[in-house]
Amino acid sequence: MVGLAAPAHAADPVLRDLATAKGKYYGTAVTGSKLTGTYGSVTGAQFDSITPGNEMKWGAVEPTRGSFNWAGADGIVNFAEAHGQKVRGHTLVWHSQMPNWLANGTFSDAELRTITTGHVTTEVARYKGRIDHWDVVNEPLNEDGTMRASKFYTQLGESYIADAFRAARAADPAAKLYINDYNTDGTGAKSNGMYSLVQRLKAQGVPIDGVGFQGHLILGQVPSTLQANLQRFADLGVDVAITELDIRMTLPATDAKLAQQKADFKAVTSACLAVTRCKGVTVWGFTDSDSWIPDVFPGQGAATPYDANFQPKPAYYGIAEALGWTGGGGDPGPVTGCAVSYAVQSQWNTGFTAGVTVRNTGSSAIDGWTLKWTWPSGQSVSSAWNATVGQSGTQVTAVNAAHNRAIAAGGSATFGFNGAWSGANTAPSAFTLNGAACTTA
């Protein structure tokens, strides 16, 4: 990304500010090693809560029994504190991503119980006063709502959950303690199982403060019962939160799919807003370049509010609109005809300055535009004006500035940039505007 320090357009909303005004938080999961440059800038500017994607999981922090590695987790907590953000600790007890010594070790019931509560105590105590919420137990249920036969449940029964919560409460009385699972977003067998489990835990006096609903959803399939489901858990006397929201689609993304995704993100955010005890929403990675979906679901992706070039997608504006933003935008107007003029205005040694004019030759106005091209000779962009320009490999993406987002029928918009070249500085031969092929002039 070049041209602007932060990727949002000049008039675009700040999600964390909108959420705060509604009494909620809006967060993102992060990869700690990437919290620099544009990735770090967006994380700090747009979100007021962050969740370590992997850095606080048991396998990451205690790879060898009794030997801890806190570097990754410390870095994320430090980043959050420097940017005025909450941290959602994720996760203390989970059947997956356990260290080998634990996953494949043989222990008596008493020893396993001691290992579990000891790990919880050590990790929570390290960050006492610095973690807002903890996912204490993650994914304890099967799809039919019965208890998952994890290592912990198989040996210790359901009591492992109560033990973990009590150890966490003792280690940091101020942190909010959650149980977290997926496919519990709408009413159904699994969410009914979670509802019964929370009832049992509360009846035992277990210090459970909240229930996390992960929200790993499929395009066009936001549960119609989401809000009602959140509300029935809140009525049990616990807080609720959307903790890992992403909405995947079959690739490639199209304007129609992105419009549906915008509606879906807006619907989920609105459901949280409608429930007083819903504390906030966390997206599971804000950019498609940092999403787990393509690795796990081949042929699917584009599941987050930003594209791989850190450009806000329609989903981002859907979130903002749900949070009360009325600035409009995010939905590009139809392109029925376009022409692009590209000219190198000056060139020296290994650098050059170029100007681009985008003409709307169609019959309808364009409200918001994204121009893309591929460099034929390996050029690169170093700075830009009147547009936000990003580059991934040889592909360049230029997005309108606030003042030139609208192009009337017969009208035009211009922007410029500085770039670098080596060997040749051949002009691009093809351009697309909002996905439509343009003629060159």
Side-chain angles (χ1 to χ4, degrees), residues 255 331-335 365-369 434:
D255 287 346
D331 290 324
V335 175
I366 298 171
D367 183 19
W369 52 267
N434 294 354

Side-chain angles (χ1 to χ4, degrees), residues 5-20 24-30 35 37-50 79 83-86 281-283 285-287 305-306 310-313 315-317 319-321 323 325:
H9 314 146
D12 278 347
V14 177
L15 300 183
R16 62 185 292 170
D17 293 346
L18 292 170
T20 297
K24 311 291 185 182
Y25 66 81
Y26 222 93
T28 183
V30 296
L35 283 172
T38 302
Y39 184 97
S41 297
V42 181
T43 300
Q46 286 289 341
F47 302 99
D48 57 354
S49 176
I50 57 176
F79 180 94
H83 292 82
Q85 297 167 312
K86 305 176 190 291
V281 178
T282 297
V283 293
F286 66 86
T287 170
Y306 283 75
F310 300 103
Q311 296 297 332
K313 291 156 56 180
Y316 160 88
Y317 297 96
I319 294 167
E321 289 171 7
L323 292 171
W325 185 63

